[in-house]
């Protein structure tokens, strides 16, 4: 079965850092584009960052320069390094895996709370 196991969420102070991890199983990881999305209460789920199978990255303007997405194909894991966190970064962060036009897989989500 396909599973995206997320970890690394938690409570941090504004300006702090956090590293999210998403380990995938049940897929040929290196073929998949991976992404991080987030959803704050009352808001639509939005793309935070994604990375193609070839390693090209894309970021939402709101996180550009602060977040870094990376992948380790040997570990079947995608990461989201978050620095200079702001209260508006507070959301549930979801890992996403997509191959071509197939329906994407989603993780369960991990809570990131940025609060003083």
């Amino acid at each position: 079965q396909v599973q995206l196991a997320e970890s690394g969420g938690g409570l941090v102070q504004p300006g702090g850092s956090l590293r999210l991890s998403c380990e995938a199983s049940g897929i040929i990881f290196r073929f998949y584009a991976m992404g991080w999305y987030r959803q704050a209460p009352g808001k639509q789920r939005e793309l935070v960052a994604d990375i193609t199978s070839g390693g090209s990255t894309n970021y939402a303007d709101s996180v550009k320069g602060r977040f870094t997405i990376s992948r380790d194909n040997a570990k079947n894991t995608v990461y989201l390094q978050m620095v200079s966190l702001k209260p508006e970064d507070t959301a549930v962060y979801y890992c996403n895996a997509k191959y071509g036009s197939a329906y994407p897989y989603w993780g369960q989500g991990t809570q990131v709370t940025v609060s003083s």
Side-chain angles (χ1 to χ4, degrees), residues 58-91:
N58 177 64
Y59 299 92
D61 288 342
S62 59
V63 308
K64 197 170 298 182
R66 300 187 298 118
F67 291 10
T68 303
I69 189 170
S70 61
R71 66 191 297 158
D72 186 340
N73 288 343
K75 296 181 178 179
N76 287 355
T77 300
V78 63
Y79 305 94
L80 186 67
Q81 179 67 54
M82 305 182 291
V83 301
S84 301
L85 283 161
K86 305 174 181 179
E88 51 261 47
D89 294 319
T90 296

Side-chain angles (χ1 to χ4, degrees), residues 44-66:
Q44 298 285 346
R45 187 174 299 187
E46 64 175 354
L47 174 69
V48 176
D50 57 22
I51 183 167
T52 69
S53 61
S56 298
T57 59
N58 177 64
Y59 299 92
D61 288 342
S62 59
V63 308
K64 197 170 298 182
R66 300 187 298 118

